[in-house]
Amino acid sequence: MTLLWIVLFTLVGGTASASAAGALLLLPDRLRERLLPSLVSYAVGAMLAAAFLGLLPEAFEHPGATPSGITGMLLFGILLFFVLEKFVLWRHCHTDTCQAHGTPDQASTARPWRAAGSLVLIGDSVHNLIDGVLIAAAFLTDTRLGVLTSLAIVAHEIPQEIGDVAVLTHSGYSRAKAMTYNLLTNIPTLVGGVVGYFALGPLQGALPYVLTLAAASFIYIAVADLIPDLHRRPEPAATAAQVLLIGAGIGTIMLSHLVLEQWLH
């Protein structure tokens, strides 16, 4: 049953985020640009809530886990994702022009912008493979935790995939081909989930540290990638809207936890 949950949420989660991103790309540019900051704000709340209210408490409570071991893994995970980002394997785009890969004006006559499309596909595949393993670890610990982890990942994937498809189209891909390739990069999520199920199943002692690694990825993405995007709009009205949407993301995770607790028990 656990494997079925993992397969279901890795498949549905990836398809849902890619489909939602594709649908939003059909909107007029001005409307999409207005919606993206809201999606990013919401993702910040969902990812931080999943990390601090779901993954880390579960890791600390796991039999055999030690506080120093969990906090040490959290520190290691944040540094790991920093290094991965340096290799452009973790950085994601959340706007039509992405600072991580340049801008169309900077690379319109050079190969680097075309190469950015390949980097996006490689980075997405690596990221989604790791996400699959982390989802598997969460479901192996508790079904509710698996669902919450999957929801947080989907919340982040929608604005990220909009930005990534924009990079692919700037790299010379047609919009249809960019969406197709972007959808295919979600296949590693399923692969990572199945591999994680069979690899982590016998290694129950490793689960709290894998959960901590998942929390580290959520915290790093929220703090290093998403929040800097929000700081580009410092005006009071935008800040108030961001705080409300971050709160909505946190509230979604908390409400989902309560609903799942009642449903599964």
Side-chain angles (χ1 to χ4, degrees), residues 9-34:
F9 273 86
T10 52
L11 274 177
V12 173
T15 303
S17 59
S19 299
L24 287 169
L25 281 166
L26 298 176
L27 297 175
D29 292 345
R30 184 173 295 182
L31 178 58
R32 186 172 69 247
E33 289 171 5
R34 292 181 63 183

Side-chain angles (χ1 to χ4, degrees), residues 24 32-49 91-96 152-164 218 220-233 238 241-250:
L24 287 169
R32 186 172 69 247
E33 289 171 5
R34 292 181 63 183
L35 286 174
L36 270 174
S38 299
L39 293 172
V40 171
S41 299
Y42 180 84
V44 168
M47 298 193 85
L48 290 178
R91 166 69 71 176
H92 287 303
C93 305
H94 304 93
T95 59
D96 287 353
I153 288 174
V154 169
H156 163 58
E157 289 290 322
I158 293 174
Q160 169 241 299
E161 292 196 8
I162 292 173
D164 287 349
F218 286 1
Y220 185 84
I221 291 168
V223 173
D225 282 357
L226 303 183
I227 289 178
D229 283 346
L230 302 184
H231 284 318
R232 294 175 187 170
R233 299 187 61 195
Q242 290 167 0
V243 172
L244 288 174
L245 287 162
I246 290 171
I250 295 171

Side-chain angles (χ1 to χ4, degrees), residues 19-258:
S19 299
L24 287 169
L25 281 166
L26 298 176
L27 297 175
D29 292 345
R30 184 173 295 182
L31 178 58
R32 186 172 69 247
E33 289 171 5
R34 292 181 63 183
L35 286 174
L36 270 174
S38 299
L39 293 172
V40 171
S41 299
Y42 180 84
V44 168
M47 298 193 85
L48 290 178
F52 287 107
L53 304 180
L55 292 164
L56 286 176
E58 197 69 41
F60 276 110
E61 293 173 5
H62 199 281
T66 63
S68 60
I70 296 301
T71 54
M73 177 57 76
L74 184 65
L75 176 61
F76 169 78
I78 291 172
L79 293 175
L80 172 66
F81 297 123
F82 170 76
V83 172
L84 286 175
E85 186 169 71
K86 286 293 186 181
F87 287 99
V88 202
L89 292 178
W90 204 254
R91 166 69 71 176
H92 287 303
C93 305
H94 304 93
T95 59
D96 287 353
T97 55
C98 179
Q99 289 185 340
H101 303 298
T103 66
D105 292 336
Q106 292 171 334
S108 58
T109 60
R111 293 176 60 190
W113 183 254
R114 291 194 295 273
S118 299
L119 287 174
V120 164
L121 294 174
I122 294 170
D124 268 356
S125 299
V126 172
H127 191 151
N128 290 335
L129 181 71
I130 295 173
D131 280 346
V133 175
L134 301 181
I135 289 172
F139 272 109
L140 284 168
T141 303
D142 183 80
T143 301
R144 289 170 297 172
L145 189 64
V147 174
L148 296 179
T149 302
S150 301
L151 289 175
I153 288 174
V154 169
H156 163 58
E157 289 290 322
I158 293 174
Q160 169 241 299
E161 292 196 8
I162 292 173
D164 287 349
V165 169
V167 172
L168 292 175
T169 55
H170 287 315
S171 301
Y173 294 82
S174 67
R175 180 163 289 194
K177 185 174 288 187
M179 290 182 181
T180 300
Y181 282 135
N182 191 56
L183 181 61
L184 291 175
T185 60
N186 285 285
I187 293 175
T189 311
L190 173 62
V191 175
V194 174
V195 170
Y197 173 79
F198 287 105
L200 295 172
L203 302 174
Q204 291 293 315
L207 285 179
Y209 302 102
V210 180
L211 294 178
T212 305
L213 195 64
S217 75
F218 286 1
I219 294 167
Y220 185 84
I221 291 168
V223 173
D225 282 357
L226 303 183
I227 289 178
D229 283 346
L230 302 184
H231 284 318
R232 294 175 187 170
R233 299 187 61 195
E235 56 271 18
T239 300
Q242 290 167 0
V243 172
L244 288 174
L245 287 162
I246 290 171
I250 295 171
T252 299
I253 295 299
M254 294 176 65
L255 180 61
S256 299
H257 179 78
L258 293 174

